Amino acid sequence: MDVLLSYVEPVVVVTNVANSLFDTALLMVVYDRLNGTAPGNSDLAQKEVAQFYMIYNMIYSLAPLLTTVLLGRWADRRGQKVLLVVPLLGYLLGRLLLLFTHIFQLPVSVMYGSAVINGLTGGFPAFWSGVNAIAALSSGAARRSLRLNVLEVATGMAGLLGSVVSGHFFLVKVNNQHGLLLICLCLSLYLLSLLYSAFILRYPTVPPQDQVPVGVCNPSCRRYSTEMILLFICYLLYDFGVTGGENIIPIFVLKPPLSWDAVWVGYGKAVCYIMFLTSFLGVLIFSRYLSDISLVLMGIISNTAGFITMAFVRNSSLYFIARSMMLFSCIPMPTIRAQLSKQMDEASYGSIFAWLQSAVTLTDVISTVVFNNLYAASLQWFSNFSLLLAAAVCWLSTIPIVVYSCRQKKEDYSPIPGTDSAQRLITKELNDFNDECSTSSLSD
């Protein structure tokens, strides 16, 4: 029983179902409210929604920078529990504001306060750092890539479930209001996840940092400063492109020619989450024949092709075709995280993943500002130009991972230290021996 209670996947599933319900609720509440202030002007409503999400995402992304690393260090000293409980408490308290905003018809700017609360309690960066640290501590190095991809597929399946039902729940009227049932269900799931993390989940233990045996996960300074930086650059470039593109897609499907309603928005997000399952199946099948680096490249190519196709979507069928081309796009991030964890000390997983998620958070802020402003500026001539830019950035992320692969191969085939000098010594001895033999034969 303790083994079952040590799995962090239930927390991931319940929390991400709640996240997907909240995303749909927030999008529809904000769009309906802002569209009401600009009736008949679709482009103006689109710009206002894009502006709202730019500010909201900036606050939500920047605020965790103040707390995530501190929570990670605290978790390394006291246990990983803090990286789950504190962010989940922030989710519950912060997203209560959507309920108040919807019931009392408050301005949508109130939701900026929700982003502040979520951010100051660590938000997603702290939560995901804790999840990855717990999974890494609970798995061996050989199967770590697979285990971290299991987390991704758990996230995807939870998002799929939440997205499919979110639109239908939003349309159910309670007290003559759409969306009230959806918001209450979302908050109930956050509460369930918080209680499970605080009182039921069994957390792995790790020895203090000064008790870890010398030589275990202790890479050289050169390897850390070069190869790890390459992995970070690849991760952040890919995240920059993916975040920018995925922030635009939910907005442009609301305007003509697609003009989706809440149900279709839910279906669109559900198809997006299916990519987590197909990516996991890709890792499960192809990891027998391909290296981790090849899997990362396969995922990048898949996502790039999907974004290029998405830029020319004019009907719902082509949208789903573009999504089907992204079937391996969720492979790179967990695989790169697994590569990072294999070179690090277990006692510092909390801090390492916290630093990584903090860097990702800053990247997401920059990506949101760039792509949302570009989308608003390009509405009149080619609204989906930003998706082509996202595809180009994703493709650029292949450069550092290829360089990393080349360095790995060079390191694998490098000669054993000291063999060159030993070879020279043996050669010298053989030459001396041959000279002696020649001298002896001449004297005879």
Side-chain angles (χ1 to χ4, degrees):
M1 189 64 179
D2 287 342
V3 175
L4 293 176
L5 295 179
S6 66
Y7 285 99
V8 72
E9 281 77 2
V11 179
V12 174
V13 170
V14 175
T15 303
N16 280 283
V17 170
N19 285 340
S20 61
L21 297 180
F22 175 81
D23 289 343
T24 300
L26 179 63
L27 176 63
M28 297 311 300
V29 168
V30 170
Y31 190 74
D32 288 347
R33 192 72 59 80
L34 295 179
N35 196 35
T37 62
N41 193 335
S42 177
D43 284 350
L44 179 58
Q46 287 274 307
K47 290 181 179 180
E48 290 182 351
V49 173
Q51 183 76 10
F52 167 82
Y53 270 101
M54 183 185 70
I55 298 174
Y56 177 87
N57 289 329
M58 284 181 62
I59 298 173
Y60 182 77
S61 299
L62 287 175
L65 294 177
L66 303 174
T67 55
T68 299
V69 174
L70 296 177
L71 289 173
R73 292 178 178 175
W74 187 14
D76 286 337
R77 295 187 182 97
R78 302 296 183 183
Q80 303 302 324
K81 186 175 184 177
V82 64
L83 283 175
L84 295 190
V85 173
V86 175
L88 287 172
L89 181 61
Y91 275 137
L92 180 62
L93 297 178
R95 294 181 175 182
L96 272 171
L97 291 181
L98 181 60
L99 181 64
F100 299 146
T101 301
H102 192 50
I103 292 176
F104 301 111
Q105 296 296 302
L106 301 176
V108 294
S109 57
V110 171
M111 292 308 300
Y112 298 150
S114 172
V116 171
I117 296 173
N118 291 335
L120 292 179
T121 53
F124 180 79
F127 173 77
W128 198 237
S129 298
V131 167
N132 281 275
I134 293 169
L137 290 170
S138 304
S139 59
R143 298 183 61 82
R144 193 162 298 159
S145 294
L146 184 61
R147 179 66 192 280
L148 295 186
N149 274 279
V150 168
L151 291 179
E152 295 288 333
V153 75
T155 300
M157 292 302 95
L160 171 63
L161 175 61
S163 297
V164 168
V165 302
S166 62
H168 297 284
F169 279 119
F170 183 84
L171 295 178
V172 176
K173 281 190 175 183
V174 177
N175 293 333
N176 205 31
Q177 284 186 317
H178 291 295
L180 193 58
L181 177 63
L182 179 63
I183 297 171
C184 291
L185 179 59
C186 166
L187 295 175
S188 300
L189 291 176
Y190 282 128
L191 178 60
L192 177 62
S193 186
L194 174 62
L195 294 176
Y196 184 90
S197 300
F199 303 110
I200 300 176
L201 182 63
R202 301 290 185 265
Y203 293 87
T205 57
V206 62
Q209 197 162 6
D210 56 357
Q211 294 182 13
V212 177
V214 177
V216 177
C217 298
N218 185 27
S220 65
C221 295
R222 177 178 176 79
R223 183 173 183 179
Y224 179 84
S225 61
T226 304
E227 296 185 8
M228 296 293 291
I229 288 175
L230 288 171
L231 290 174
F232 263 73
I233 292 174
C234 177
Y235 194 100
L236 296 178
L237 272 177
Y238 186 71
D239 177 74
F240 184 87
V242 170
T243 300
E246 293 295 341
N247 280 346
I248 297 304
I249 291 173
I251 302 175
F252 95 83
V253 298
L254 297 174
K255 72 178 184 66
L258 297 184
S259 302
W260 282 1
D261 59 12
V263 174
W264 275 99
V265 167
Y267 289 157
K269 289 177 67 66
V271 172
C272 178
Y273 283 117
I274 289 177
M275 298 186 304
F276 289 91
L277 177 60
T278 55
S279 296
F280 172 72
L281 293 176
V283 172
L284 195 62
I285 295 171
F286 295 112
S287 60
R288 303 175 183 177
Y289 314 104
L290 300 176
S291 66
D292 283 355
I293 305 304
S294 299
L295 290 173
V296 171
L297 291 173
M298 183 174 69
I300 293 174
I301 293 170
S302 173
N303 194 72
T304 302
F307 272 146
I308 292 174
T309 306
M310 189 71 72
F312 301 97
V313 164
R314 293 295 177 270
N315 54 65
S316 298
S317 299
L318 189 56
Y319 172 92
F320 292 109
I321 291 174
R323 281 302 188 190
S324 68
M325 299 179 70
M326 299 180 177
L327 74 169
F328 297 132
S329 61
C330 299
I331 292 178
M333 289 187 175
T335 307
I336 294 173
R337 287 198 300 269
Q339 286 288 315
L340 288 169
S341 68
K342 292 176 183 178
Q343 303 183 43
M344 290 297 173
D345 180 62
E346 291 183 352
S348 60
Y349 277 176
S351 299
I352 293 166
F353 285 120
W355 277 110
L356 176 62
Q357 287 304 133
S358 296
V360 168
T361 297
L362 189 58
T363 302
D364 290 346
V365 172
I366 299 173
S367 178
T368 299
V369 173
V370 170
F371 281 89
N372 282 40
N373 280 301
L374 180 62
Y375 177 74
S378 62
L379 277 171
Q380 300 300 324
W381 52 282
F382 183 39
S383 60
N384 295 342
F385 171 76
S386 53
L387 295 176
L388 292 178
L389 178 61
V393 174
C394 289
W395 183 252
L396 284 176
S397 66
T398 60
I399 296 175
I401 198 65
V402 168
V403 175
Y404 171 82
S405 177
C406 293
R407 290 183 60 85
Q408 287 287 91
K409 291 179 180 179
K410 182 179 178 181
E411 186 174 299
D412 291 340
Y413 289 101
S414 62
I416 300 174
T419 53
D420 290 342
S421 58
Q423 184 67 37
R424 287 194 296 270
L425 180 60
I426 294 172
T427 302
K428 182 177 181 301
E429 294 292 337
L430 288 174
N431 290 335
D432 292 342
F433 178 75
N434 289 332
D435 291 340
E436 291 179 2
C437 291
S438 300
T439 303
S440 300
S441 61
L442 288 174
S443 62
D444 291 340

